Amino acid sequence: MSKASEFIEALCRIEESGDVEPMARLFAPDAELRNPTIARPLRGQDGARDFWRSYRKTFGEVRSEFRCIASSDRASLLEWKSHGTLSSGAVFSYDGVSVIEHPAGLITRFRAYFDPRALGFQLEHAA
């Protein structure tokens, strides 16, 4: 299974059940995670747990769909669209791109790029 497929499978599990452990296991001990809503990167598997727990808590319901996936043995690029409800109950839809670096099998660097204004102020201080 490709790293992109493993990542998508783990994300689906987070979105459906809130279980972040399969995702956390994909990250290296020195991994770095970032997106536009956090001021400084989170690090390692504990950082991954915090990142993905915060992600899931932001939403009442969430589902991500992937339009374009480009992958090599060193990195994966995922273009996605997510939709559902925020924890406040407001309906949302936004899209973006995630860049995942995994040169030795584990994810060493994760970046998500999207316009946080698409989600309103609810995400300003998430993660």
Side-chain angles (χ1 to χ4, degrees):
M1 178 181 291
S2 73
K3 191 55 66 181
S5 296
E6 288 180 69
F7 180 89
I8 291 168
E9 186 175 293
L11 181 62
C12 287
R13 192 153 174 188
I14 291 168
E15 292 179 346
E16 292 171 1
S17 71
D19 182 4
V20 300
E21 287 308 312
M23 180 68 84
R25 287 192 293 270
L26 297 178
F27 284 82
D30 60 344
E32 180 180 295
L33 298 87
R34 289 201 80 140
N35 75 25
T37 68
I38 58 176
R40 53 187 177 270
L42 296 171
R43 300 195 183 277
Q45 290 185 339
D46 286 339
R49 283 182 191 93
D50 292 345
F51 183 94
W52 295 107
R53 280 185 191 124
S54 180
Y55 166 84
R56 186 60 188 94
K57 286 179 184 177
T58 300
F59 306 109
E61 294 181 12
V62 60
R63 180 164 181 215
S64 297
E65 298 169 358
F66 296 86
R67 288 184 265 203
C68 182
I69 300 168
S71 196
S72 75
D73 60 345
R74 299 187 51 79
S76 300
L77 303 173
L78 308 171
E79 181 186 9
W80 47 263
K81 181 177 186 109
S82 296
H83 56 88
T85 59
L86 296 172
S87 55
S88 66
V91 174
F92 77 91
S93 177
Y94 74 122
D95 54 3
V97 174
S98 294
V99 178
I100 304 165
E101 295 178 27
H102 46 81
L106 294 174
I107 297 170
T108 57
R109 190 167 177 259
F110 170 83
R111 296 284 189 276
Y113 298 95
F114 59 91
D115 182 353
R117 295 175 297 179
L119 293 172
F121 295 111
Q122 291 86 346
L123 281 185
E124 286 294 319
H125 300 288

